[in-house]
């Protein structure tokens, strides 16, 4: 038997437990050892990537969800670190009436992804006085991400991380977002309102700062828009979210 044929049969056995693949490999109880080790490694990878979700669901429910995911989604990358990428979709399908579960999974995965993004130097506030704000364009750090949410998943994550499991999670009346970035070696996040999330998305897409301010002034009035944007800008500079203002 060619090595490629043997490898293909082994893959079919591990991914789908196919009887024809087992026959090609000679059968026997030893195949189950490989199968169990394969599945155990994938479940362990999910446990490492989603510790707060495991606390929220409980060990039994998390194991059941992980087993379902292993059956439906074989690895597609050379590294197990990437295995949990689509696990939030599995959780969303299993818990359609509990949106905090999928949002918690997405938050944990986004934090892990943010940790591996490249380092950059944050913009210095000392250069603010030389900027033409009407035409200025803001460049955000590459680690920045926006996660749309409908629950207070940021507070849920923090509670779970400190060993406290809430009895329930608060759902918002509308939509909001969690803003994620990396500060040094530490992934960071905070909950923000939908208006700030939309402003960041517009600026990140290249909208001039003056255009954004004009839009907000039309909606809320010039005084309110100035105060709002000023507060946002102060927060972005404080958190090191801006790399350049051109």
């Amino acid at each position: 038997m060619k090595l490629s044929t043997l490898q293909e049969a082994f893959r079919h056995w591990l991914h789908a437990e196919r009887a024809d693949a087992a026959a090609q490999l000679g059968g026997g109880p030893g195949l189950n050892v490989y199968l169990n080790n394969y599945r155990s490694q994938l479940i362990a990878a999910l446990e490492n990537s989603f510790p707060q979700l495991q606390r929220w669901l409980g060990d039994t429910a998390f194991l059941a969800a992980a087993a379902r995911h292993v059956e439906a989604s074989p690895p597609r990358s050379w590294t197990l670190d990437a295995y949990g990428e689509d696990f939030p979709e599995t959780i969303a399908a299993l818990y359609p009436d509990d949106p905090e579960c999928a949002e918690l999974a997405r938050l944990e995965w986004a934090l892990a992804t943010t940790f591996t993004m490249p380092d950059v130097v944050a913009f210095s506030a000392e250069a603010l006085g030389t900027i033409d704000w009407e035409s200025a364009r803001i460049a955000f750090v590459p680690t920045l991400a926006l996660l749309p949410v409908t629950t207070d998943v940021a507070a849920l994550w923090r509670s779970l991380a400190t060993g406290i499991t809430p009895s329930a999670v608060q759902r918002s009346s509308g939509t909001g977002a969690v803003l994620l970035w990396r500060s040094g070696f530490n992934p960071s996040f905070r909950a923000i309102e939908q208006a700030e999330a939309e402003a960041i998305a517009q600026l990140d897409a290249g909208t001039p700062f003056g255009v954004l301010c004009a839009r907000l002034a039309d909606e809320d009035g010039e005084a309110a828009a100035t105060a709002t944007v000023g507060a946002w800008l102060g927060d972005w500079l404080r958190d090191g979210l801006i790399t350049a203002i051109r």
Side-chain angles (χ1 to χ4, degrees), residues 111-149:
L111 288 171
T113 302
T114 299
F115 185 76
T116 62
M117 296 293 285
D119 294 321
V120 294
V121 178
F123 180 81
S124 174
E126 296 176 358
L128 290 176
T130 63
I131 295 171
D132 178 3
W133 290 104
E134 284 297 319
S135 60
R137 285 177 166 82
I138 293 179
F140 292 101
V141 295
T143 60
L144 183 140
L146 287 169
L147 180 67
V149 296

Side-chain angles (χ1 to χ4, degrees), residues 83-242:
Y83 181 58
E85 182 177 12
D86 52 354
F87 190 50
E89 280 62 52
T90 297
I91 295 298
L94 290 174
Y95 295 94
D97 298 324
D98 301 294
E100 78 280 357
C101 296
E103 290 180 358
L104 182 58
R106 293 187 186 106
L107 175 57
E108 292 208 87
W109 188 253
L111 288 171
T113 302
T114 299
F115 185 76
T116 62
M117 296 293 285
D119 294 321
V120 294
V121 178
F123 180 81
S124 174
E126 296 176 358
L128 290 176
T130 63
I131 295 171
D132 178 3
W133 290 104
E134 284 297 319
S135 60
R137 285 177 166 82
I138 293 179
F140 292 101
V141 295
T143 60
L144 183 140
L146 287 169
L147 180 67
V149 296
T150 60
T151 67
D152 193 1
V153 68
L156 174 62
W157 187 97
R158 291 191 174 94
S159 295
L160 293 168
T162 57
I164 301 172
T165 302
S167 58
V169 62
Q170 182 178 352
R171 300 193 185 189
S172 59
S173 56
T175 57
V178 174
L179 179 64
L180 304 103
W181 71 98
R182 193 179 77 239
S183 179
F185 294 107
N186 300 313
S188 302
F189 65 91
R190 58 182 172 87
I192 61 175
E193 298 293 333
Q194 183 65 20
E196 183 177 359
E198 291 174 357
I200 291 173
Q202 290 177 34
L203 292 172
D204 197 39
T207 299
F209 188 79
V211 172
L212 173 68
C213 292
R215 290 174 181 171
L216 292 175
D218 289 340
E219 296 173 1
D220 304 325
E222 186 171 350
T226 299
T228 298
V229 174
W232 289 345
L233 186 60
D235 290 342
W236 301 341
L237 291 169
R238 179 202 64 205
D239 292 334
L241 302 183
I242 296 175

Side-chain angles (χ1 to χ4, degrees), residues 55-73:
R55 290 188 179 95
W56 180 243
L57 294 180
D59 292 340
T60 301
F62 183 89
L63 180 60
R68 177 75 65 87
H69 186 72
V70 168
E71 291 175 359
S73 302

